[in-house]
Every structure is written in C-alpha cells, then in structure tokens.
Amino acid sequence: IADGVVGSQNHKYTLLREEEIEDALGVKKACWVIEAVPVTERQIKESENSKRIIWVDKQHYAAIQEHYFNKNGVLFKKRTSSDVRPYPASGQKTVWRPMRIEMMTVATGHKTTVLLNDFKVDEDISPKLFTRQYVETNKL
C-alpha cells in the first residue's frame, strides 16, 4: 500500500483487521484496517504522527477513514471520506476518489469539510492555485 503522500518506503503498513464501518454519509463499507507507522529516520523526525490507522474500502481501495496519533500516541485528528467516485487515470486505469472529506480535531470537535465538484487525475496542478490571491478571488 502506498498512501500517495509519503510513499510506502517511508512507512511500515500492517493489516490489523477487517471490519464494516459507515463513511461520512452513513453508507456502510467493508474495510481493511491498516496501521501506518513511519520507519525512516527523516519521516519519524518530520511527521507529526506516531502512526495512522486507515480504513480502506475493499470495493474501491479508497481510504474512507483515517485516525492520526500524535508523537505521544494520542488520537488527535480523524478524517472521514465519502461519495467515492470513479475517475480515469493514466494507462487506461480507473481510480476511485472521495468527493466529500471531513477532518475533525478530537480535542475541540472542530470540523472542516471539503466538497469536491470534479478533479483530474495524473495532471499537473498550477502553483498559482495555492496562492492567497487565487483562493480569495475564487470563492464559492
């Protein structure tokens, strides 16, 4: 398993169990529950996480829930995803990506929800999309 952000060479992945959970919209999903622990010296030092527990939807191989544990091993954030849809990728492949993502800070209960309308897979993203000016002038 590679998580696309840090890569499989930086983490050790362990299958903990299989279980059924509800995604962010309450849809039941059969999942593999996987633990990701940083293993390289650099990743251990730079990551704010001591580990992550990831629920991967067996049907679409999409991470629909993730728990983040701080350096002291305490759960501090939870991410849930839902509305998983197919998208064409390179090599005539199809990848499944969530269109709704919620991140919650455990201590405060604060949630941020991201709703996606559409996106492209395997295409370059312009750096200007990540500027303050672009974000402030292209609000919904």
Side-chain angles (χ1 to χ4, degrees):
I1 292 175
D3 53 19
V5 176
V6 293
S8 60
Q9 69 275 9
N10 294 323
H11 287 77
K12 176 185 175 195
Y13 293 91
T14 305
L15 177 64
L16 300 177
R17 62 188 175 276
E18 298 179 26
E19 68 183 22
E20 186 175 88
I21 65 165
E22 290 184 359
D23 68 13
L25 294 177
V27 178
K28 290 187 178 187
K29 303 281 184 176
C31 295
W32 291 291
V33 183
I34 298 167
E35 179 182 64
V37 178
V39 292
T40 65
E41 189 174 314
R42 179 179 175 191
Q43 194 64 30
I44 291 168
K45 181 181 176 184
E46 293 179 2
S47 176
E48 64 180 3
N49 307 311
S50 63
K51 71 177 179 180
R52 293 174 297 138
I53 305 296
I54 309 161
W55 283 257
V56 178
D57 174 9
K58 288 182 176 184
Q59 182 179 7
H60 300 110
Y61 302 101
I64 61 166
Q65 184 169 278
E66 194 163 358
H67 290 182
Y68 301 84
F69 295 82
N70 66 18
K71 296 279 190 182
N72 295 322
V74 176
L75 176 66
F76 74 102
K77 288 195 179 191
K78 294 181 181 180
R79 180 188 56 78
T80 56
S81 301
S82 57
D83 192 12
V84 177
R85 299 181 190 176
Y87 284 88
S90 61
Q92 298 183 333
K93 294 181 181 178
T94 298
V95 296
W96 294 78
R97 297 290 186 256
M99 301 305 287
R100 178 187 178 96
I101 302 166
E102 292 182 9
M103 183 68 85
M104 182 188 76
T105 302
V106 173
T108 63
H110 174 79
K111 284 186 184 179
T112 300
T113 302
V114 176
L115 301 174
L116 302 169
N117 295 323
D118 194 17
F119 60 87
K120 306 272 187 212
V121 177
D122 295 335
E123 290 190 15
D124 291 336
I125 299 173
S126 171
K128 76 177 183 179
L129 295 178
F130 299 98
T131 64
R132 173 179 232 119
Q133 180 182 3
Y134 182 86
V135 172
E136 289 176 351
T137 59
N138 291 285
K139 294 181 180 177
L140 297 175

